[in-house]
Amino acid sequence: MKRSFAWGVLGLAVTGCLGLPPAPPPTNPIRFLSINDVYVLDTLADGTGGLARVATLRSRLAAVGPTIFVLAGDVLSPSLLSKYYSGRQMVEGMNAARLDYATFGNHEFEIPRDTLVARIAASKFKWVSSNCTEGTGRPFPGVLPWDTLTVQGRKIGIFGLTIREQYRSYVRCTDPDSAARVAVDTLAKLGAEFIVGLTHQTIGADRALLARDTLIDLILGGHEHEAHDETVDGRHVVKADANSRSAQFVTVWGTRDHWRVAPALIRIGGDLPADTATQAVTARWEDSVRRRLGPERVVATASAPIEARDIRTRRGEAAIGDLVTDAFRSGTGADVALLNAGTLRLDDVIEAGPISNYTLESLFLFADEARVVTFTLTGARLREILEHGVAPGSLGGGPFLQVSGIAFAFDSSRAGGSRIVGPVRRADGRAIEAGDQLKVAMDVYPACEGGDGYRIPEAAGACATWQTAPRAADLLMAYVSGPLGGKMTPPAAGRIQTATGP
Ligand SMILES: [Zn+2]
């Protein structure tokens, strides 16, 4: 009974996606269930997702036949819970869901080295990475460069790749393509009949990899947050939607000369009951964050989507930057508010509709809680600080400043000291003079700690008591519930203009 029930559910999902009538299952298939970019265990605000549901899907599949459950990177960070627990909750959740393999996502390397090593050690699943090691070049303890396993009498080879970025110095990621070549050659020599890449890189890089390396039979990928299913010479690269909104279920059958691969995207929603063990882990960790922050509740409504992706906040004015800096100014009475974009950690668009206090908390994921200090600057010094935010080394990165109370234009191609073009103006349009005294609110990382290359001795007095300064999340919630009347509407743009050089 159990078997046919499981096949009924899956058959429906698979053939439903492909638009085909139900087909008999292939004989002795190998199955992969793949998720990626999973930052939270719980069901999402819109009712979709939830690792406990994926775990149920995994159990149903396993009841039918061998299934390899994998995660293609980005799991330990960032999230509201990871701010406090550094991914411990995610490892426990993945253990309960009986994950088989994971590879590193770029966000794994945001947590300190010893914490990462502890998370790997606590994992009941295997970590595989063919291109990322300790800075010394030695593999992280317990991490495999590749692995083989025998399923349905066939030898499967699996390797892992992660995109290269500017990581902390404890990690070294070599060129993914060269690492893939070594891994694939080795797996082929070991007699792997079917070779699958678990990758965390762009879909373009995945396609190029498939095109270059014909021994790779399948890529289960991540890093993009939207589902993909693309083919190169008949071989698939698939990705699921982030946060378990969907999972990719891939059925493989045939022989090494003629593999048949059938991916199906399975939406994760309320039709899948929660797996008890995984749900228990989820609930326990949610309880501990509730003890810290109080219950999750709706605190605002967004009238339109609010742009909060890094690619936008780090090189120009963005709606979330406007709203947060307005909140800094409103709550502190400052003339000007500044926020380094690197402090904003959501890296997502906030959809129109209800917004919870936890979403607003999730904007600020650093241990200092992005507290906000207030100090006095001259107009000349403000201009210097703005210059640093638009320097070539800052634009596109964390130092770029979101602002409130001022408007200016910049041209990064100009020489240092002249990148701010024309006057810096107050909100009412008056130009700020060099000798003007301005009350400025800014978060502690750049203002007090030299973070992102800022040097602001004028803030030293305020920084001496930064631990009692208001939290950015509290300022934002007070601003939203007070002056904004519960409506988060993206303000009209116009504070930061890009000027074209002469
Ligand atoms: Zn990623």
Side-chain angles (χ1 to χ4, degrees), residues 1 27 143 233 306 393 465:
M1 269 318 284
T27 43
V143 177
D233 304 329
I306 298 170
T465 55

Side-chain angles (χ1 to χ4, degrees), residues 37 39 74 105-107 200 223 225:
D37 302 83
Y39 306 98
D74 274 5
N106 48 309
H107 286 299
H200 193 87
H223 194 47
H225 284 191

